[in-house]
Amino acid sequence: MVNLGSSSGKKSLNTVTLIFKLPYYTQWGQSLLIAGSEPALGSWNVKQGLPLSPVHQGNELIWCGRVSVLTGFTCQYSYYVVDDNKNVLRSESGEKRKLVLPEGIQDGDIVEIRDWWQDASEALFLRSAFKNVIFNGTENAKRELQSTSLNKSLDPEDIVVQFVISCPRLGAGSTVVVTGSNPQLGNWRAQDGLKLNYVGDSIWKASCLLRKSEFPIKYKYCKISEAGVPSLEFGPNREVDVDLSSLKPSRYILLFDGALRESPWRGAGVAVPMFSIRSNEDLGVGEFLDLKLLVDWAVNSGFHLVQLLPINDTSVHGMWWDSYPYSSLSVFALHPLYLRVQALSDAIPGDVKDEISQAKQQLDKKDVDYEVALATKLSIARKIFKLEKDKVLNSSSFKQFLSENEGWLKPYAAFCFLRDFFETSDHSQWGRFSQFSKEKLDKLVSEGTLHHDVICFHYYIQYHLHMQLSEAAAYARKKKVVLKGDLPIGVDRNSVDTWVFPTLFRMNTATGAPPDYFDKNGQNWGFPTYNWEEMSKDNYGWWRARLTQMAKYFTAYRIDHILGFFRIWELPDHAATGLVGKFRPSIALSQEELLSEGLWDFDRMSRPYIRQEMLEEMFGSFWTVIAANFLNEYKKQFYEFKEDCNTEKKIIAKLKTSSEKSLWLEKEDSIRRGLFDLIQNIVLIRDPEDNTKFYPRFNLEDTSSFRDLDEHSKNVLRRLYYDYYFARQENLWRQNALKTLPVLLNSSDMLACGEDLGLIPACVHPVMQELGLIGLRIQRMPSEPNLEFGIPSQYSYMTVCAPSCHDCSTLRAWWEEDEGRRSRFYKTVVGSDDEPPSRCTPEVVHFIVQQHFDAPSMWAIFPLQDLLALKDKYTTRPAQEETINDPTNPKHYWRFRVHVTLESLLDDKDIQATIKDLVTSSGRSFPGKKVDDAEESGEKLAKLRLNGKP
């Protein structure tokens, strides 16, 4: 036991003994300790924390620790799971615990603190999406703080029990009581139970004086609604007992009982890209202020959430390629595309108003015309800026905005100026400005320059974007609608971020994904991968700044490709496809390991395997032309690529620029695919930074290079392939995620969801569960290996479920594009042997959508296109035209626009009523529903198969 002794010659200090107890099952080699804010608990140094010892009590393993402290002791503390060297293996989630000793404690008293491990999923309801939006107005922060002291002297038979419970979901006017098996707790009559007092931060507590003879005591917490209706918490009875055999039993028992056990909260939402929204006021593309109309429609339809794609500036190329919302020019700047120019000023001249009206008509097209819409808005904005720049730039609100954001805003404005001046975003082409420095930046943005108005124009645009999005975000919060953003996994290699922070990125690499549901050849997104080692030096400050900025507007966010925080699919920057990559970090196959397995011909396995007979089969009589232009014969009937075309990007360039291109002009695509097949015909990838390390090529058994090996080599490679992709990396990837993801989660109080689709390592879902991250379930992409279609009724609670997403075809298009798959779905999911309708009728949509509403998932979030398919009126457009993205096409034009305005949708009471009926009948929460009304649907929810817990 840690003791606080008194100094010789001085009056003894009054001390009490604290005994901490926590039930927790550990694995071999693990133990628990407490670290806290005071020296007695290590001053937050885990290695100096209070170690706990395990004690078996019945079926439980209780970890206990003692420490002597002064009677006025207060602190914050947390529990940690550590290894034998006190390295942290797991820490609690949520806010730090706060310990304030009860009044009246005397010198020598023993205080027993009984805790429960704070699980990440229980802390979700303290995130801003719930605390500041969904439960705002009913939350405990508005309650009057009350005292919890007993004001009574104790005799030797008395024990003070303090009950403490967290109730973040409590309705307005409701109270909490403890009811139990003795008279002090009402003998199980809730109306006579011990009334708890609100003490802040969603915590309720009260103390009760009990006699030793009354123990053990069974009890439960109970909500009492404003109307006086009691609602007992779920689950078995709680129990408190005392050890009367102890020579000096505890006089005070503090029961920190975690969260009130309630029925799982479930909500619903709508997902639509910002650019896809159509309104009567927009100029050819959705605008931030349109979100207010979308929020109104969401509320009328029973939705608590609106989800968007990324909204950062992507103006890298100055053309429609920039429509790709995941390739950020800046991770902090908002996209000028979403600006409402009419809202820039109250004094827009008549000729400019006429120009706006004309542009509105010209841009009212079926799809977004990205280039024209952006150019039009910037042109109009410049005219208004010239008229009112002095007024705006000298306003207090603008000066505050500039002061709070200058860290990213000034580099962004300077980058935009240099991009336009040099006519390229490739900052390596900017001469002396290629290398960023603070001194150069200060000169670029200084007031005395000829281009200072250009710099200020970029400030001006970002200021108004901030004001407009802030207005929409505040409106959403007021209406109890969560605004959910999207955190892209990468940034464009020609971006402000790679210019200002070049050491944070591996610029000679590209990010992508291995072959999966979306693309059998893998994906190459082109972003440089992250230099995590460098990022860790300031505790991932760049990431923390991103999340802080995002939280100004959003109360929830989607982590794009969350697998990238475990490991990323890294490709060389000369790759054009996503097939021949490796995971980073990963444990490679060493040369020694391969030699020990009898594999020695590394050149044979790691260079493209090209034989004459393969060329003849692939290109027919044209093979000689291919060989003459692209290949060298290094030994009889064996070929290698020429130096000028020995990478995928070099092949593309040579096909376009060769003087011989007229020979293959009409079959360029098929020749390119053939040459790619040849250059990818390897079984091992040699590490470009260490030629003694190798990585098995994805799907290596599909290659002729593999098929022509001897049987021993094949068997060894099969085993090593499985080990590399599915076994040896798991612990490394888990550790990598536990270094990075907690930093993101702790950088803001937004609710975090992770996009965990694709090739999922075994470590991913346990880590997400440990960190309280909500996963994603798409019915056509089940995470279970032996299912063709997911079963929504079996989804775990900690998930978002959806019938489709922006990276795949809509529900209608998916239904209609594959007859065989449609029949299998109709038989296995709908449960009918009848011939399914070839068209995705509103009845089919209703069935599938209802499955998702009824699912146990915390959130059911639907693409707007899938919801509109509930009504025939909105299905006249060809289904394939509603697809937002084609992941197989790296130059896809992101331009889908909803074909009906938000004003029209708000006028359509029928579809709003249809959707709200689905929400209410499924027991999901909706704006306007009283929090305590959730109990009414408890019977229905109890029938659901819940694999997780709230």
Side-chain angles (χ1 to χ4, degrees), residues 332-538:
F332 300 100
L334 299 171
H335 206 310
L337 188 69
Y338 305 130
L339 183 72
R340 174 155 295 167
V341 293
Q342 303 96 305
L344 291 178
S345 173
D346 293 330
I348 298 176
D351 59 331
V352 178
K353 287 183 178 179
D354 292 341
E355 185 179 350
I356 293 171
S357 297
Q358 187 177 358
K360 193 183 297 184
Q361 294 178 7
Q362 292 173 344
L363 290 167
D364 187 20
K365 302 177 181 179
K366 183 180 74 172
D367 298 311
V368 176
D369 189 333
Y370 179 91
E371 294 173 29
V372 177
L374 181 58
T376 301
K377 290 191 176 197
L378 291 177
S379 174
I380 294 170
R382 284 189 183 94
K383 293 174 182 176
I384 301 173
F385 171 71
K386 287 179 182 177
L387 296 172
E388 62 163 27
K389 63 181 179 181
D390 292 337
K391 174 186 173 184
V392 173
L393 299 182
N394 290 315
S395 67
S396 58
S397 62
F398 173 83
K399 289 178 178 178
Q400 181 180 351
F401 170 76
L402 181 61
S403 173
E404 293 174 354
N405 297 277
E406 62 181 353
W408 65 264
L409 183 57
K410 288 183 176 180
Y412 166 77
F415 185 99
C416 291
F417 166 71
L418 292 170
R419 172 200 63 195
D420 298 342
F421 180 83
F422 288 103
E423 297 183 339
T424 178
S425 292
D426 183 356
H427 38 82
S428 68
Q429 307 298 311
W430 290 354
R432 67 189 183 93
F433 294 109
S434 294
Q435 303 296 319
F436 174 86
S437 73
K438 181 68 167 56
E439 294 73 24
K440 293 174 188 175
L441 175 65
D442 288 343
K443 290 179 181 178
L444 282 166
V445 301
S446 62
E447 290 189 21
T449 61
L450 293 173
H451 62 265
H452 189 60
D453 266 7
V454 177
I455 297 292
C456 288
F457 176 67
H458 294 296
Y459 295 165
Y460 171 83
I461 293 294
Q462 288 299 313
Y463 166 69
H464 277 288
L465 287 165
H466 163 72
M467 296 298 288
Q468 292 181 16
L469 181 55
S470 296
E471 180 181 333
Y475 188 81
R477 286 193 295 273
K478 179 183 175 183
K479 295 285 188 175
K480 300 190 183 301
V481 172
V482 172
L483 207 55
K484 181 180 177 184
D486 197 322
L487 184 75
I489 186 62
V491 301
D492 198 281
R493 64 177 59 251
N494 297 318
S495 65
V496 183
D497 301 280
T498 59
W499 181 52
V500 177
F501 307 107
T503 59
L504 301 185
F505 305 91
R506 288 168 52 82
M507 296 298 288
N508 62 337
T509 67
T511 306
D516 59 11
Y517 174 92
F518 295 112
D519 193 335
K520 63 182 179 64
N521 293 312
Q523 299 174 60
N524 185 337
W525 302 322
F527 317 134
T529 57
Y530 295 119
N531 184 345
W532 290 110
E533 294 78 12
E534 187 67 25
M535 287 181 162
S536 68
K537 291 178 181 178
D538 67 349

Side-chain angles (χ1 to χ4, degrees), residues 259-276:
L260 188 74
R261 300 188 305 232
E262 302 182 75
S263 60
W265 184 95
R266 294 152 66 243
V270 58
V272 62
M274 191 69 249
F275 58 81
S276 297

Side-chain angles (χ1 to χ4, degrees), residues 660-869:
E660 305 292 324
K661 67 180 181 180
S662 59
L663 296 173
W664 54 70
L665 202 56
E666 294 183 357
K667 40 180 133 178
E668 183 180 320
D669 287 348
S670 63
I671 290 173
R672 184 185 68 251
R673 286 194 297 270
L675 291 171
F676 278 10
D677 286 344
L678 291 175
I679 206 166
Q680 296 165 354
N681 192 27
I682 57 177
V683 292
L684 293 178
I685 300 168
R686 193 186 291 265
D687 192 318
E689 297 170 14
D690 184 346
N691 63 11
T692 66
K693 292 181 178 179
F694 298 87
Y695 307 89
R697 180 241 201 234
F698 200 88
N699 289 342
L700 57 79
E701 291 191 57
D702 292 345
T703 67
S704 58
S705 178
F706 177 87
R707 290 192 293 271
D708 283 1
L709 291 171
D710 62 89
E711 287 305 314
H712 170 75
S713 297
K714 288 181 185 178
N715 290 333
V716 170
L717 285 168
R718 285 190 186 100
R719 178 163 44 81
L720 292 177
Y721 177 91
Y722 181 86
D723 183 55
Y724 176 83
Y725 282 102
F726 303 107
R728 71 164 68 187
Q729 320 295 348
E730 293 294 330
N731 190 51
L732 172 66
W733 291 344
R734 171 184 164 82
Q735 291 174 358
N736 198 53
L738 289 175
K739 287 178 188 174
T740 55
L741 284 172
V743 176
L744 265 71
L745 300 178
N746 295 330
S747 297
S748 77
D749 63 353
M750 292 185 289
L751 180 68
C753 306
E755 182 263 289
D756 52 347
L757 304 175
L759 185 70
I760 309 294
C763 62
V764 170
H765 289 150
V767 168
M768 290 181 67
Q769 182 177 1
E770 181 175 331
L771 297 179
L773 278 160
I774 302 169
L776 177 61
R777 298 293 175 268
I778 305 293
Q779 189 169 26
R780 70 189 73 171
M781 291 176 262
S783 53
E784 299 83 0
N786 299 318
L787 287 179
E788 183 177 13
F789 312 111
I791 305 172
S793 63
Q794 296 183 4
Y795 291 159
S796 62
Y797 176 68
M798 289 289 290
T799 56
V800 171
C801 69
S804 71
C805 66
H806 69 271
D807 272 332
C808 59
S809 55
T810 61
L811 183 51
R812 278 204 306 140
W814 177 80
W815 180 269
E816 295 168 8
E817 66 194 9
D818 189 323
E819 181 181 352
R821 183 181 61 201
R822 180 170 66 236
S823 297
R824 294 191 299 275
F825 182 90
Y826 209 63
K827 182 179 179 64
T828 59
V829 179
V830 179
S832 173
D833 291 324
D834 295 339
E835 186 72 20
S838 59
R839 179 175 160 269
C840 191
T841 63
E843 292 74 23
V844 169
V845 174
H846 193 280
F847 175 87
I848 295 173
V849 166
Q850 185 170 27
Q851 276 193 315
H852 289 77
F853 274 114
D854 288 344
S857 302
M858 177 187 284
W859 289 99
I861 301 177
F862 302 88
L864 182 58
Q865 305 97 300
D866 291 348
L867 293 169
L868 296 185

